[in-house]
Amino acid sequence: MTTPAALLPDPSDLSTLRAKGADPDELFASFAAWAEASGTVLYPAQEEALIEVVSGANVILATPTGSGKSLVATGALYAALAGGRRSYYTAPIKALVSEKFFALCDVFGAANVGMLTGDASVNAGAPIIACTAEVLANTALREGGETNTAADMIVMDEFHFYGDPDRGWAWQVPLLELPRAQFLLMSATLGDVTFLREDLSKRTGRATALVAGAERPVPLHYYYATTPMHETIQDLLDTKQAPVYVVHFTQASALERAQALMSVNVSTKEEKAAIAELIGAFRFSSAFGSTLSRLVRHGIGVHHAGMLPKYRRLVEQLAQAGLLKVICGTDTLGVGINVPIRTVVFSALSKYDGTRTRLLNAREFHQIAGRAGRAGYDTAGTVVVQAPEHEVENLKQFAKVADDPKKRRKLVRRKVPEGMVPWSEKTMTRLTEATPEPLVSNMRVSTGMILDVVDRPGDPFVAMRRLLTDNHEPRKRQLRLIREAVGIARSLLQAGVLERLPEPEADGRRYRLTVDLPTDFALNQPLSTFALAAIDVLDTESETFALEVVSVIEATLEDPRQILSAQLKKARGEAVAAMKAEGIEYDERIALLDEITHPKPLADVLGHVYDVYLQSNPWAADGQLSPKSIVREMWERAFTFREFVSVYGLTRSEGAVLRYLSDAFKALRSGVPASARTEEVTDVVEWLGELVRQVDSSLLDEWEQLTSPDQPLNAPVAVPARPRPLTGNERAFTAMVRNALFRRVELFARRRWYDLGQLDGDAGWTTERWAEIGDEYFDEHESVGTGADARGPALLIVDRQPGLWEVRQILDDPAGDRDWGFDVEVDLEASDEEGAAVIRMVDAGRMG
């Protein structure tokens, strides 16, 4: 089949269409011909939607999953491009925006497509922009209004996010602020959109067509299973219903189910051999990796947001090759993941939503169920709802005594477990037949919103009044938003950031900003400029300057909840043990525990700088300054990724750890001014980047490709089976070696012989041997220095030989004799294989 990129009309054809006035019939015909030539004949619903789009109408496309909404979106972008108009395509998460960006580059060419996510700005002047909904919303606030030129065509995918309590405002603002634009709103689970349709027509002056009720190309069949889960899965495998996606509502339960299914005969010997061949030299580098390796080689996958991206992609690749029969994952597949599925199995119809445990609503159920059945592969999809365990057990016990009335009367039925919200076959039937609930408005107001509106041409008072009184909220909620906006505006006036003009200007402006907003303000990074200000007050001569720079950057990053919770748990556990050892009574221990938090370096200093900064930069009030120590702790304690995950029990959250470290690296590399880039700061940045890359290079490779003008933009970054050699980045590798040795220095200084034995026991340096050497040292010296001098290059001697480094770490004794230390060998080949410095202790003690 010829690829769509080769079939799309070239720029000269588009120019011809523009010269002709982009005739709707010709536009439709040319796009339909392109689609058919690429192997796709338009469904009736697609034809209807595209005809409405090229005719200039807004379209609400509420057709089932698998009915080809993406192709309609492509057609809308094509029509806009042919007419010389600018388009935006929005998706709810950055990963989907990135995926769509590359897909659009394939179709329209890299020169015609740009991307804005907040992390990266690529080809921002392109006629087609892929972005998150928040980016478009901020653009609409800053450039919108009756005379806006920000956008001509707006395609909003997954529009049901309009009803999201936290993020729904970003899906509503473009509808309110871009009345000149044409809209294509798409989702499989919109519900009743009568109000939305009427409102959109009124605002834009365009007809708004609803394309809904289309017949699903791959019909779904629903079943309620009362057999134990492993029997349900086995039956689906026996009846050729794989691939099967078993949906769970926690990451832990997904993994537990996958491990429990190891007893089911999922794959044949030939299929297992094919899996092993496809995996090849893929590195399962983390703690979770060895578990996943066993599972996928058995034909069972795991897929959830807590996994490393390379593991999720491996599972997707194996599934696409038809080699994984069962995948246990979370309901993230409702947002759209690249996994072919024939059967969806609900392990439950209730979930904890962060506040309470409740039954799924119709939108959630249909969003997940709709992933079953693959267009072009399956003639039908299957949706199975697994009965609760207590119901399965009761039916099993009843079957044993069904023929004995006496035993039936004595049968004791298992009750619903405490705290559980039960479901039944009636629940499944109700959800299956129910239409998604109507979307509910979730408008909000913020400091950034007001500043964006004030910064655009025209009278901001009039613009804000229209925004707050002519939105989709009920009147009571609008009054609350008005009060909030008035409070924010007063604080801006008091701070001198906003001023009232003595006389209105020609365009009616009565207020203006007294400061310039950052150029990337619309990208929703309110604390990026604060970091620059905070770094500027640090002492570059301080021996801890590099670590303080790290702490400033970490304080501006979003909190990784799983990591901070693990740090808090560990800190409290250690505090309890210490208090017990001191004989502190229980009640006092409990009171003292409330004062313990996860590590927060520079909290007081940063809090003071932040308060001062807000006085002249009030947009930063929308951010959350949150001091924390994750990168800093890993550097100070010379942790590898695997060690950090192990110490804090974060095996199920490796993906969250990697995302945080990746975000920290990006912020350190792009957010630290040149004047603060000391040698040690550079070492930290290089070390962190290489650490992330060795764990999973996909996040950094993609970001670096998107932010480098020298990189091609016409293809997504492939995930290599093996990362680049660790030792190829000599600076980062040297920093890892130095950190590993200094970790030993610190343990030696604290007389932690057991921990040293754990590190070097395999090389013969046991706890007892370390204790013996330590006793000899401390008979001569009272302490070991662990300050900046002790960590400096003067006390580290590296003899770089091919394949093997010989390294001596000299101890900083108080007498300055410098005659004690450690000798180690660093195996370069083993380090490349492991993705971390592989060190073997050779000698320790007084140096000859």
Side-chain angles (χ1 to χ4, degrees), residues 12 14 63-64 100 316 361 364 398 503 505 653 693 751:
S12 61
L14 291 175
T63 54
K100 193 64 181 182
E316 292 168 9
N361 59 42
E364 291 167 331
F398 181 82
E503 295 291 336
E505 294 183 348
S653 302
R693 195 181 304 281
R751 310 188 191 203

Side-chain angles (χ1 to χ4, degrees), residues 461-479:
F461 179 82
V462 173
M464 279 303 301
R465 181 174 60 189
R466 186 185 67 249
L467 184 64
L468 296 174
T469 60
D470 190 25
N471 53 48
H472 299 165
E473 294 289 333
R475 183 57 180 167
K476 185 176 181 180
R477 171 74 173 146
Q478 287 179 348
L479 292 174

Side-chain angles (χ1 to χ4, degrees), residues 571-593:
R572 287 183 170 176
E574 292 173 349
V576 167
M579 287 186 283
K580 284 182 177 179
E582 294 175 17
I584 297 176
E585 295 297 324
Y586 175 80
D587 290 341
E588 187 178 355
R589 291 203 306 267
I590 296 301
L592 291 172
L593 280 179

Side-chain angles (χ1 to χ4, degrees), residues 89 101 141 180 191 203 207 235 535 559 585 603 612 641 783:
Y89 176 98
F101 166 73
L141 288 167
R180 292 181 57 192
R203 292 178 188 278
D235 183 60
I535 289 172
D559 283 348
E585 295 297 324
V612 174
F641 182 86
S783 62

